[in-house]
Amino acid sequence: MITPSLALVALLLPTASNAFSPILKGNIHGFSSIQQKSNLNKLSMSAVAPVVDEETNTLTLTPIKSLDGTVTLPGSKSLSNRCLLLAALSSGSTVVENLLESDDIRYMLEALDTLGVPVDRDTEDKTKVTVTGQSGPIDAPSQEACELFLGNAGTAMRPLAAALCMGKGKFVLDGVPRMRERPIADLIDGLVQLGADVKCSDTGCPPVEISAENINGGKASISGKMSSQFLSSLLMASPVAKGDITISIKDELISAPYVALTIGLMKKFGVNVQIDGDMDGTPSFTIPSTEEYTSPKSILVEGDASSASYFIAGAAITGGTVTVRGCGSESVQGDVAFADVMEQMGAKVTWAPESITVTRDPDVKLKGVDVDCGKIPDAAMTLAVVALFAEGPTTIRNVYSWRLKETERMKAIVAECTKLGATVEEYNDYCVIYPPEGNKINDNVTIETYDDHRMAMTFSLAACGNVNVIIHDPGCTAKTFPTYFEMLNSIATH
């Protein structure tokens, strides 16, 4: 087994060269529903493709016998938005390649436009952009409060909230109704400790209001129990403060691989973070004022490891053979460890530096597992559906963060797994899934996606149980993977 360790903070991301290109633009809801529906309607013109029912906004997936083939993954959401922000804070221009084309990235790009950060788009390639850095903090473009609408993009809301406190000016960051339910108070608390004039709503969620007058450095102690994005946001913003900054974790740090990813990317942009203590304990991080972001000239975004989980799981469930290209044994993303979980359940996994191949011997049945998924909470959702096909129960532990994501994922997963015939025990930060008797999945179940892209993609795999599965609002996958159903269908045998 090969699982990337937290030593990945020292790894450099692969570089690329060339010019650049734009993300699709549109109104805040139009891209998700209209653009994705358009993609699926084009797909439905072929004889074997799934068809979107526009009246009910559903997509019926017919039984999938096997998944076989090679999938080239879209760029990582987490890396894409981090790359854009660090490029904006750096000196020099940065070409970003294999940028994820999705709602969340579009919100970040539009925010940079509003803030006056030059972003050049190549009309021939929508996954490549050139960002001209500001050589330091980003100031408000005028005396008026700069209003940024960030949809439901946590990877835009949280890092921007921290970064904009380092400059000068007034800002208001807001999003869709669900964003106003997603906590940000721990991040605000850390920024206030550093001297920022920033506040969120009384509920501890956005909108965020900032009156920035630079930050001269300081120390902050924050909680890491709710989301690693708060720490990552403070880390990314710190090099453009005017003094040394030290950030410590006062309790525990969940999703530590995402922090390792952040630190590794900062190193690629010329900044070294000093780490004191164990990343699995209560570490502290120091960024001296001498550290400054410098453009690496070009950077290639890895394929999205969370998105890889659906194809890896599909191969494990059906016994087909699937290779995902874009992340592998040298990946900086923690979610590649999902492949190790599939191996524990009975799949065969073959690693290469930039790819993972998964299959399963038909004589080997999947077995339930008991796994701490605190470091892979997004990929852990996929495990919930694989559990329906296993012998014995599967326990998914340390996923309290599910409750704080795009939807209340714990309750959503319990509800939809139950519809499919499973018995699910729900606890505060874990669940136990007992598969249906004989692993017989209920047919023609309509899956409610709760406007959550990962719910739609995860539960599409129920079709591997020789049943029709009806996905409500398939267009919600536009948040991170607009072409998911097209890609799934391209390697499916029905």
Side-chain angles (χ1 to χ4, degrees):
M1 297 189 296
I2 301 177
T3 303
S5 71
L6 296 178
L8 286 173
V9 296
L11 287 181
L12 299 184
L13 297 181
T15 58
S17 58
N18 266 339
F20 147 101
S21 136
I23 287 294
L24 285 174
K25 309 266 261 181
N27 65 49
I28 58 176
H29 299 296
F31 185 88
S32 177
S33 61
I34 298 173
Q35 181 63 40
Q36 172 69 350
K37 187 174 288 186
S38 172
N39 289 342
L40 291 172
N41 284 343
K42 291 176 184 176
L43 177 62
S44 69
M45 294 172 66
S46 70
V48 297
V51 179
V52 176
D53 184 324
E54 295 191 14
E55 184 176 344
T56 60
N57 191 21
T58 59
L59 176 69
T60 298
L61 301 176
T62 57
I64 295 174
K65 179 180 180 181
S66 182
L67 293 180
D68 297 273
T70 298
V71 171
T72 299
L73 298 166
S76 159
K77 176 186 73 170
S78 297
L79 283 170
S80 290
N81 270 346
R82 284 168 170 79
C83 283
L84 289 173
L85 179 59
L86 297 194
L89 299 174
S90 297
S91 59
S93 295
T94 305
V95 178
V96 184
E97 291 199 80
N98 197 38
L99 196 68
L100 176 62
E101 187 183 351
S102 75
D103 282 356
D104 279 18
I105 311 309
R106 180 171 60 84
Y107 286 124
M108 177 66 91
L109 286 168
E110 291 180 347
L112 294 179
D113 288 340
T114 301
L115 292 165
V117 177
V119 180
D120 294 329
R121 295 162 167 83
D122 182 333
T123 56
E124 295 181 0
D125 184 353
K126 296 174 182 177
T127 68
K128 193 186 299 183
V129 302
T130 300
V131 181
T132 300
Q134 303 299 287
S135 301
I138 300 170
D139 296 334
S142 70
Q143 297 297 318
E144 303 288 327
C146 180
E147 297 185 358
L148 301 176
F149 184 88
L150 300 169
N152 199 12
T155 57
M157 171 65 74
R158 291 154 177 175
L160 280 171
L164 294 177
C165 285
M166 304 295 166
K168 291 185 176 182
K170 296 184 182 299
F171 307 89
V172 178
L173 284 59
D174 204 354
V176 298
R178 176 59 183 170
M179 179 61 84
R180 290 188 169 197
E181 298 172 346
R182 299 181 67 182
I184 199 169
D186 287 335
L187 173 58
I188 302 303
D189 176 53
L191 290 166
V192 169
Q193 290 178 54
L194 294 173
D197 184 354
V198 57
K199 63 182 181 179
C200 59
S201 72
D202 292 340
T203 63
C205 303
V208 174
E209 298 180 12
I210 301 169
S211 295
E213 282 294 338
N214 300 126
I215 286 181
N216 294 320
K219 297 181 178 181
S221 177
I222 68 167
S223 172
K225 294 173 66 174
M226 193 168 289
S227 173
S228 66
Q229 282 187 16
F230 303 147
L231 173 59
S232 285
S233 298
L234 288 169
L235 289 173
M236 288 189 286
S238 293
V240 294
K242 294 186 176 298
D244 298 354
I245 286 183
T246 297
I247 307 158
S248 59
I249 296 298
K250 62 185 180 183
D251 37 38
E252 65 177 286
L253 178 61
I254 68 165
S255 303
Y258 283 98
V259 178
L261 178 152
T262 298
I263 294 172
L265 185 60
M266 291 171 67
K267 183 171 183 177
K268 181 62 180 172
F269 280 83
V271 168
N272 291 290
V273 178
Q274 299 173 9
I275 307 172
D276 183 21
D278 187 347
M279 291 280 274
D280 288 328
T282 54
S284 64
F285 308 83
T286 299
I287 301 91
S289 60
T290 52
E291 296 292 329
E292 297 180 351
Y293 286 127
T294 303
S295 170
K297 306 302 182 185
S298 62
I299 191 162
L300 179 67
V301 177
E302 269 188 16
D304 193 285
S306 302
S307 296
S309 70
Y310 312 119
F311 304 103
I312 289 171
I317 293 168
T318 66
T321 301
V322 173
T323 298
V324 291
R325 294 178 54 198
C327 62
S329 60
E330 295 183 358
S331 174
V332 298
Q333 300 170 78
D335 271 359
V336 293
F338 178 78
D340 289 338
V341 179
M342 293 299 95
E343 190 169 53
Q344 291 176 43
M345 296 184 81
K348 179 181 178 182
V349 180
T350 304
W351 294 83
E354 296 182 356
S355 68
I356 306 170
T357 300
V358 178
T359 189
R360 179 175 57 82
D361 187 317
D363 294 329
V364 176
K365 293 185 177 181
L366 293 176
K367 292 179 172 55
V369 290
D370 187 327
V371 186
D372 183 333
C373 293
K375 294 180 180 179
I376 57 168
D378 285 348
M381 294 178 68
T382 313
L383 176 58
V385 174
V386 181
L388 305 179
F389 297 89
E391 289 185 332
T394 291
T395 303
I396 304 174
R397 297 188 185 275
N398 200 15
V399 286
Y400 179 81
S401 63
W402 274 1
R403 300 187 184 276
L404 311 173
K405 297 285 189 174
E406 283 81 346
T407 190
E408 216 284 23
R409 285 177 171 171
M410 181 69 82
K411 292 191 178 302
I413 285 171
V414 170
E416 304 312 307
C417 283
T418 301
K419 283 185 191 176
L420 291 167
T423 300
V424 187
E425 297 175 357
E426 176 187 352
Y427 299 91
N428 184 52
D429 66 347
Y430 74 100
C431 64
V432 183
I433 301 174
Y434 296 86
E437 185 175 353
N439 303 111
K440 183 173 176 55
I441 309 296
N442 291 335
D443 197 6
N444 287 309
V445 170
T446 297
I447 298 296
E448 180 57 54
T449 54
Y450 309 90
D451 196 26
D452 186 336
H453 55 131
R454 298 209 184 281
M455 287 295 295
M457 294 184 281
T458 293
F459 282 90
S460 68
L461 297 176
C464 298
N466 195 33
V467 295
N468 292 311
V469 177
I470 304 163
I471 305 294
H472 182 253
D473 188 22
C476 67
T477 62
K479 181 173 171 66
T480 53
F481 201 160
T483 59
Y484 170 73
F485 290 107
E486 182 176 359
M487 196 170 288
L488 178 69
N489 191 68
S490 73
I491 62 169
T493 300
H494 293 274

